[in-house]
Amino acid sequence: MSKFQFPESIKSRPVYGTLEPRPGKSHLMIADAEGAEALLDLAAQDADLMAKAHIIFIPKGTAYSDKLQALNPAQYYEGPSYEASVQRLRHVLANAHQGTQVYLAGTEGLMGQAQNEAMQAGIPHTAIQTEHRGSVARRMQCVHCKGITEDVMHDPFQCAHCGLHLFVRDHYSRRLAAYQGVRVDAEDHGNIPEPVELYK
Amino acid sequence: MTIQFNNETFRDDYSFHNSDWAIKRFPFPFHEDSYMYSVNMEQHRGGPEGSVYEKRFDVDEHYVSEMRDRAMVLADDPLRCQSLPHMTLAGWDLLELIMVSKSEDYPDLFELHRDGNTWRWINKPLGIDDTFTFLDETTLPYGPMEYITRQAQGDFCVLDQRDEMLWMDAGMVTTQADWSLDFDIGMNFFEWHAPVPLAHEMGIFKRALKFLLNIQQGAPARRLNWTMTVNPLLDTSPENYHKWGIQKTTLTPENIGSKQHLRVELQTFFRLPRSNALVFPIRCYLISFQDLVTMPKWGRRLHRVVRDLPDELATYKGFIDNRPMMLDYLSQFDDGLPTSPGVFPDQDTEPALQK
């Protein structure tokens, strides 16, 4: 099962729901990896949705492509990475009509970034749904060098840019679509705790 | 009085110092011998003559040096000053508020001459004499918020108000107690306060928000907040925490009196007229323990507050590891005598230290 119940946390931490079919002129669906399962569940609730759906899917090595294409969405695109998909996503959002529904599913990093694009394009937050599936990895911003490290699974972790060892905060910026990482040994240089897998 | 401006630093050699005048008017934040969170708001309509509460925007002996430190922080990291596109009008509101207040409250230091939208601003301590067109950004060297907050002590958060909520949509933040404007910009009131322990559960933020949403033009409010800082470092930002965090470990029983500082924020809240935004200046005052305990009442009280503070708060405020050493030092200045109510030092009536 790809669903994970996040423990209750501080108020800046995002909370995700369960996708549900909503009436709309068009349906933009963006998912990565196990997020595909949420789209499959969504289609199972309302198969008619797909005739007006545009799916942007980033498989990340998973094998959901055939199942998603079998839903016969009006448009289907598979991207090798989120970064590779983002130009298409912006184009679709820029041309979206009023009444467009946005469905985001998969990892927090994918949902956060895509939500940011949708908000910037003027999609009201009430037309955006999210459902977490799959990896609990986090997209982290190093507060010191501002570099983003994707898919962080351990706390502490090493910043991919400046190399500092950072602890994983729950403080989250929607604008950056990232959690904050702060030097773990700032008050005792070199004393870096053994990394622990998130939520273990 | 004419203020003698110090030539001092808040980094490297830390030559920052408080005169006797600055010590006596220090905004000591504890009105009783213990501390717990509270909304603790009061009207910001003056205060005792000479106190930091008297003027709308207090100017003191640290002004020129603080502005020099701010310019250095901004040169290193321009993201400390940001304003989302819809906040420019609020920036003009803030510029007007500060210019009008300072020129009225300190006519010997600041002058504002207005002829329609043509304004001439003279800032004598910083040697500035600029003429510009109000509401025309092209006539200033920076955006209006950045221009005026490069000339005003303390951090400034400019909060947009919509959907019965406050949003951190602009700010100048270079003297902060360990929070990042660059990270928090765009967050709502509950989100940017998310990391604060205990206070959410106590309902503090709900009550504070309700109060702040209702602040009216011409009726500003204020409160105090506090933390601890080793060395008189203004820029205790998360951005630079990897550099300054280690300074906390340099305290020794010999140097704690001069190195350990109580850091107090005078937070004020003003409604802005055109934008309906709320400006939230956070003015930082620093005092070394050795200067603070020259006021017998403050020495007694600070010892009791630090001793009895819940561990969560000492952790959040970042001094749990140094607390034992702080208590060893401060206990020398607590003879167990009762203290008078209120924050003022009451030098004339409080007894000298009895040990």
Side-chain angles (χ1 to χ4, degrees):
Chain A
M1 191 58 191
S2 62
K3 281 196 170 184
F4 179 80
Q5 191 64 44
F6 291 107
E8 202 169 315
S9 181
I10 63 173
K11 303 244 180 213
S12 59
R13 195 209 192 294
V15 176
Y16 307 102
T18 304
L19 299 184
E20 53 177 51
R22 285 189 185 158
K25 269 199 209 156
S26 60
H27 303 276
L28 176 59
M29 303 175 182
I30 305 150
D32 69 351
E34 284 83 4
E37 290 182 11
L39 298 189
L40 295 169
D41 288 354
L42 184 67
Q45 291 179 67
D46 183 357
D48 295 342
L49 227 49
M50 287 300 152
K52 293 184 284 184
H54 184 159
I55 294 180
I56 293 176
F57 180 58
I58 298 117
K60 286 185 161 178
T62 59
Y64 293 100
S65 303
D66 293 347
K67 282 183 181 167
L68 285 177
Q69 288 182 74
L71 298 173
N72 285 319
Q75 286 175 275
Y76 180 83
Y77 164 79
E78 213 169 275
S81 67
Y82 175 78
E83 291 69 30
S85 319
V86 74
Q87 294 303 333
R88 180 183 178 113
L89 173 58
R90 283 182 190 151
H91 181 80
V92 174
L93 286 167
N95 293 296
H97 291 283
Q98 210 167 8
T100 298
Q101 291 290 333
V102 177
Y103 305 79
L104 309 174
T107 63
E108 294 199 78
L110 178 279
M111 289 190 288
Q113 292 176 88
Q115 174 169 290
N116 210 2
E117 293 291 338
M119 302 277 284
Q120 281 184 37
I123 307 279
H125 66 90
T126 50
I128 304 172
Q129 296 182 65
T130 56
E131 180 170 342
H132 177 265
R133 292 282 186 128
S135 169
V136 296
R138 293 187 180 191
R139 183 175 143 87
M140 300 294 307
Q141 190 204 37
C142 171
V143 75
H144 311 297
C145 80
K146 310 281 183 184
I148 298 279
T149 304
E150 303 280 355
D151 296 324
V152 170
M153 275 304 294
H154 292 85
D155 177 19
F157 71 101
Q158 194 169 10
C159 175
H161 305 272
C162 69
L164 287 175
H165 294 265
L166 309 177
F167 75 90
V168 173
R169 291 188 80 188
D170 277 354
H171 198 33
Y172 180 85
S173 162
R174 250 179 287 119
R175 194 180 61 94
L176 300 168
Y179 290 91
Q180 192 174 65
V182 178
R183 180 171 184 180
V184 69
D185 59 333
E187 297 181 26
D188 187 4
H189 292 180
N191 183 7
I192 296 153
E194 199 58 37
V196 176
E197 194 176 321
L198 296 178
Y199 303 108
K200 288 283 166 175
Chain B
M1 67 170 283
T2 301
I3 302 166
Q4 296 297 314
F5 295 108
N6 299 347
N7 183 11
E8 61 193 357
T9 57
F10 303 87
R11 55 179 74 205
D12 305 326
D13 64 344
Y14 294 109
S15 62
F16 164 87
H17 56 282
N18 283 307
S19 66
D20 291 345
W21 173 71
I23 294 170
K24 207 185 304 183
R25 73 197 294 273
F26 187 82
F28 189 72
F30 307 112
H31 65 90
E32 58 186 4
D33 287 355
S34 64
Y35 172 80
M36 197 12 145
Y37 287 131
S38 63
V39 180
N40 65 307
M41 292 280 187
E42 61 180 17
Q43 290 193 345
H44 183 42
R45 293 210 179 144
E49 194 183 337
S51 74
V52 303
Y53 311 104
E54 184 186 7
K55 312 291 193 192
R56 285 166 281 186
F57 297 92
D58 183 48
V59 175
D60 68 8
E61 63 193 28
H62 308 298
Y63 177 53
V64 174
S65 295
E66 281 189 29
M67 294 301 95
R68 190 164 50 215
D69 194 72
R70 165 158 293 165
M72 292 163 80
V73 172
L74 289 170
D76 284 347
D77 183 2
L79 297 177
R80 302 298 188 85
C81 180
Q82 295 190 50
S83 177
L84 296 182
H86 60 281
M87 297 304 284
T88 305
L89 184 62
W92 284 108
D93 277 333
L94 178 61
L95 175 142
E96 178 188 48
L97 175 68
I98 293 176
M99 287 186 179
V100 168
S101 301
K102 284 194 164 181
S103 59
E104 288 175 357
D105 293 349
Y106 299 94
D108 53 331
L109 301 178
F110 306 97
E111 290 176 26
L112 178 63
H113 305 281
R114 289 181 284 186
D115 177 10
N117 277 344
T118 304
W119 292 22
R120 181 178 174 204
W121 167 247
I122 301 171
N123 178 334
K124 291 179 190 166
L126 295 184
I128 291 168
D129 183 345
D130 283 338
T131 299
F132 61 95
T133 306
F134 188 67
L135 297 177
D136 180 355
E137 272 184 275
T138 63
T139 60
L140 283 175
Y142 306 101
M145 177 189 74
E146 179 167 358
Y147 177 79
I148 197 58
T149 57
R150 279 175 177 267
Q151 303 177 46
Q153 288 166 276
D155 287 343
F156 289 82
C157 301
V158 188
L159 314 178
D160 195 25
Q161 183 161 331
R162 56 182 193 272
D163 301 335
E164 288 296 293
M165 181 50 80
L166 294 169
W167 303 84
M168 177 76 72
D169 284 350
M172 166 69 89
V173 178
T174 67
T175 67
Q176 68 274 52
D178 208 4
W179 66 280
S180 167
L181 173 73
D182 183 48
F183 196 82
D184 288 2
I185 194 167
M187 287 190 191
N188 73 35
F189 188 78
F190 296 127
E191 290 168 344
W192 86 70
H193 284 118
V196 183
L198 302 179
H200 290 273
E201 295 83 333
M202 290 168 64
I204 295 283
F205 291 120
K206 277 189 183 137
R207 269 177 285 154
L209 176 64
K210 201 167 179 179
F211 180 91
L212 294 173
L213 289 172
N214 288 300
I215 284 187
Q216 304 293 310
Q217 265 189 63
R222 68 182 174 222
R223 69 185 288 268
L224 295 175
N225 197 9
W226 67 279
T227 187
M228 294 286 181
T229 304
V230 174
N231 291 326
L233 177 64
L234 280 177
D235 177 28
T236 48
S237 59
E239 277 84 354
N240 285 329
Y241 171 63
H242 61 305
K243 298 176 194 159
W244 61 262
I246 198 74
Q247 294 182 20
K248 292 189 196 178
T249 63
T250 62
L251 280 190
T252 65
E254 290 70 40
N255 68 23
I256 187 168
S258 58
K259 259 187 176 315
Q260 180 65 57
H261 287 69
L262 175 64
R263 182 187 192 101
V264 174
E265 294 176 352
L266 171 58
Q267 306 181 345
T268 50
F269 306 88
F270 298 82
R271 178 69 60 197
L272 297 174
R274 296 170 188 77
S275 57
N276 197 43
L278 193 73
V279 64
F280 170 21
I282 307 167
R283 172 68 179 279
C284 171
Y285 293 87
L286 292 162
I287 190 170
S288 67
F289 272 19
Q290 68 187 16
D291 283 349
L292 185 136
V293 299
T294 60
M295 299 293 158
K297 170 178 163 181
W298 291 353
R300 292 181 179 106
R301 182 167 290 171
L302 187 64
H303 172 247
R304 296 166 198 178
V305 168
V306 171
R307 182 191 62 200
D308 300 339
L309 196 74
D311 284 352
E312 291 102 313
L313 291 193
T315 303
Y316 173 65
K317 290 178 185 289
F319 65 88
I320 187 95
D321 291 345
N322 285 332
R323 175 149 71 172
M325 204 191 300
M326 289 159 86
L327 289 176
D328 282 346
Y329 177 82
L330 290 171
S331 62
Q332 305 171 78
F333 304 95
D334 185 0
D335 50 19
L337 289 183
T339 54
S340 61
V343 295
F344 294 103
D346 301 328
Q347 264 181 299
D348 299 336
T349 48
E350 288 289 280
L353 186 67
Q354 306 289 305
K355 65 180 198 183

